[in-house]
Amino acid sequence: MHAYRTQNCGELRKSDVGKTVRLSGWVHRVRDHGGLLFIDLRDHYGLTQCVVDPNSTAFAAAEKLKPESVIRVDAEVVARVGETINPNLPTGDVEVAVSGIEVLSEARELPLPVFGEPDYPEDTRLKYRFLDLRRDTLHKNIMKRQAIIWSLRRRMREAGFFEFQTPILTASSPEGARDYLVPSRVHPGKFYALPQAPQQFKQLIMIAGFDRYFQIAPCFRDEDARADRSPGEFYQLDLEMSFVTQDDVFNAIEPILRGVFEEFGDGKSVTQKFPRIPYAEAMRKYGTDKPDLRNPIEMQDATEHFRGSGFKIFAGMIEMDVNTRIWAIPAPTGGSRAFCDRMNSWAQSEGQPGLGYIIFGGDGEPPGKGPIANNLGPVRTQAIRDQHGLQGGDGVFFVAGLPQEFADFAGRARTKVGTELNLIDKNQVALCWIVDLPM
C-alpha cells in the first residue's frame, strides 16, 4: 500500500464500498455524536467523512485531533444509509470506518479558523495566508483562475496565435504609471525596469515576422489598487497581429472572449455580437468608456428644454456659457420623494451641490412634481417626460455644466440609480467594443 494514500478525499464513491483505503489530508472538523467521532478529512480534491468507533484502536488518537492537523487514516469504505446520505457532497453516499490514524503534523490553536469561513480582518488573513488559502471559497477562486488561463491559452492557440514569453528585466517603457526599478549588480548605479506591459517586445516579435503573438503577460505598475486590479502587478491577455484591420482583430478576439464567459459565467447569458459604441456616444449615454450595459439607463441631452426656461439656475448657466449641457438621467420606478432625497444626499456626499429631479405623476395629475417641474412649467416638463418615455411613478435626475467636468459623476449617478432601483440584470454578461477613441 502507498505510504500516504490509495485515493484522494474527493474520489470515493458507492462503487468503492468494501475496499480498504488509505487517505491523507487535513482535519476539516471533528464532531462527537454520542460516542462516535466523525472526522471530515479534506485535501485538494474534496472531503471524505471518516467515522471512528469507540472500540477502535484509533479512537484515542482521534479524540485528541485538532482542526487543520494533517493525518493519515486506514479505513474501510462503507455505504451511508437513509438520512446520513449527503447529496451536497460528491462523496456523500459513502464514509470510511477508520481502523488506524497517524498524525503527520499536529496543529496548534488556530489564529484563523478554516471551517465555516468566518469574516476576519484583512491583516490577519494576509499574515496567515497559508490558512486563509485553505478556505473553500479561495481555493475554488484560485482553481478557477488557472482554469480560465488554461481556457484562454487553448482558445488562442486554436485561433492561430503563438505564445511567447517576453523579458521581465528591461528598459523603461512607460504605459501611464510609474515604473518599478530593480538595481543592477553588474552596472552599479543603474537600474532595470519591470515592464508595465510587453509593448516593445511584442512589436519586435511582429517585425520579426511571427504574425500572431499572445501571452498571459505579467504587468508591473507602481500605482494604487483599483476595484478590479491589485496594486503593483496584474496579468493580462496580451496579443498582437500582423497584416490585419480593426475588424480582423475584433473578429478574432470576440469568439474567444465570448467563449470564456460562456464557460465560466455560471449560466449567465453572454452578448453574442458585441456592439461597437463610439467613445463620444459612450460618454454621452453612460458617462464612461467602460459602460455597464446590464443597466438599461441611457442619459440624454436635455439642454434645449431648459434654454430660456423659468428654471433660472440651468437657464442662466446655458446663457453664460454656450458649452454648458444639461444631461438627464432617467429613473424608471424612481418617482418617489424618499428615493429622490436619498439620491440628493448621495450626490452631496460625492462633493456635488445636489441632484435636481422631477417626479412624474399618474393620470389626472400634473405632468411633474418638484421645484424643477414647478419652474419649467407643464409643457417643458411633458416634453422631457416624452423624450425619455417615462411613465407615472418614474423620475428623472439632472446634472449640469461642462460635460468633461461632470461626465464621471453622471456615470456614477447612472450606476447608483440602476443599482438602487434593481434595474441591473445580473444574469447576463454584456460586452461591447468602444471605438473611435480620441487620439
Side-chain angles (χ1 to χ4, degrees), residues 88 188 201 210 264 313 332 347-348 371 429:
N88 300 317
F201 297 111
F210 288 96
F264 298 99
I313 298 175
Q348 291 171 348
V429 176

Side-chain angles (χ1 to χ4, degrees), residues 265-371:
D266 298 325
K268 296 177 181 177
S269 64
V270 181
T271 305
Q272 293 302 298
K273 182 62 179 176
F274 300 2
R276 302 182 186 184
I277 305 174
Y279 173 86
E281 180 183 334
M283 295 303 295
R284 188 182 72 252
K285 287 184 176 180
Y286 312 113
T288 176
D289 60 358
K290 44 181 182 294
D292 184 351
L293 298 182
R294 300 173 306 163
N295 184 349
I297 294 174
E298 292 185 0
M299 296 185 289
Q300 295 189 39
D301 192 324
T303 307
E304 293 308 311
H305 298 302
F306 289 92
R307 191 184 302 277
S309 73
F311 191 67
K312 299 302 182 183
I313 298 175
F314 287 177
M317 293 172 66
I318 296 168
E319 187 175 340
M320 186 178 301
D321 189 337
V322 295
N323 294 313
T324 293
R325 291 292 178 269
I326 315 298
W327 284 7
I329 308 169
T333 73
S336 74
R337 179 64 183 272
F339 175 68
C340 291
D341 285 346
R342 287 205 310 274
M343 286 299 301
N344 191 56
S345 297
W346 171 81
Q348 291 171 348
S349 73
E350 295 290 311
Q352 302 295 319
L355 200 57
Y357 62 85
I358 293 176
I359 295 172
F360 296 111
D363 295 339
E365 297 181 306
K369 305 173 187 176

Side-chain angles (χ1 to χ4, degrees), residues 58 79 142 153 172 344:
I142 289 177
R153 280 200 166 101
S172 179
N344 191 56

Side-chain angles (χ1 to χ4, degrees), residues 177-178 180 221-234:
R178 292 181 296 272
Y180 278 112
R221 300 182 183 181
D222 187 7
E223 61 186 7
D224 295 334
R226 304 182 189 179
D228 59 352
R229 183 181 298 175
S230 298
E233 64 177 284
F234 61 92

Side-chain angles (χ1 to χ4, degrees), residues 26-38:
W26 287 260
V27 175
H28 195 57
R29 63 171 175 162
V30 180
R31 291 164 288 140
D32 187 342
H33 284 200
L36 280 178
L37 286 181
F38 290 86

Side-chain angles (χ1 to χ4, degrees), residues 17-207:
V17 169
K19 288 183 180 178
T20 298
V21 297
R22 177 171 285 173
L23 305 175
S24 291
W26 287 260
V27 175
H28 195 57
R29 63 171 175 162
V30 180
R31 291 164 288 140
D32 187 342
H33 284 200
L36 280 178
L37 286 181
F38 290 86
I39 303 168
D40 290 336
L41 190 63
R42 183 194 76 243
D43 66 7
H44 170 78
Y45 304 97
L47 207 69
T48 294
Q49 179 170 281
C50 306
V51 185
V52 189
D53 189 274
N55 298 321
S56 169
T57 55
F59 192 80
E63 281 188 304
K64 300 175 184 177
L65 290 177
K66 294 179 180 178
E68 297 309 303
S69 292
V70 182
I71 64 172
R72 183 187 69 191
V73 302
D74 292 328
E76 180 185 349
V77 183
V78 295
R80 297 200 208 185
V81 293
E83 295 181 355
T84 64
I85 294 174
N86 185 350
N88 300 317
L89 206 61
T91 59
D93 287 324
V94 298
E95 59 192 13
V96 295
V98 177
S99 57
I101 292 178
E102 181 179 349
V103 178
L104 303 176
S105 177
E106 184 178 358
R108 298 176 181 175
E109 197 68 31
L110 296 176
L112 174 70
V114 175
F115 171 73
E117 303 198 31
D119 189 18
Y120 264 64
E122 188 177 68
D123 56 347
T124 303
R125 292 177 54 198
L126 293 177
K127 182 177 180 180
Y128 299 101
R129 192 62 164 167
F130 62 95
L131 289 175
D132 194 38
L133 291 176
R134 295 180 189 178
R135 296 162 58 201
D136 188 54
T137 300
L138 270 71
H139 187 272
K140 287 180 178 177
N141 285 349
I142 289 177
M143 293 307 296
K144 177 177 279 192
R145 184 181 190 274
Q146 68 86 32
I148 291 171
I149 291 173
W150 191 5
S151 177
L152 282 171
R153 280 200 166 101
R154 174 177 56 81
R155 295 173 189 278
M156 292 296 286
R157 287 168 178 160
E158 289 173 353
F161 287 82
F162 308 98
E163 184 174 12
F164 299 97
Q165 283 71 45
T166 52
I168 297 298
L169 294 175
T170 178
S172 179
S173 175
E175 293 280 339
R178 292 181 296 272
D179 287 321
Y180 278 112
L181 301 178
V182 180
S184 170
R185 177 186 60 83
V186 180
H187 305 284
K190 295 187 176 181
F191 297 81
Y192 295 105
L194 301 181
Q196 294 190 31
Q199 190 66 38
Q200 293 177 337
F201 297 111
K202 67 179 182 179
Q203 289 173 339
L204 286 172
I205 290 171
M206 291 299 97
I207 294 168

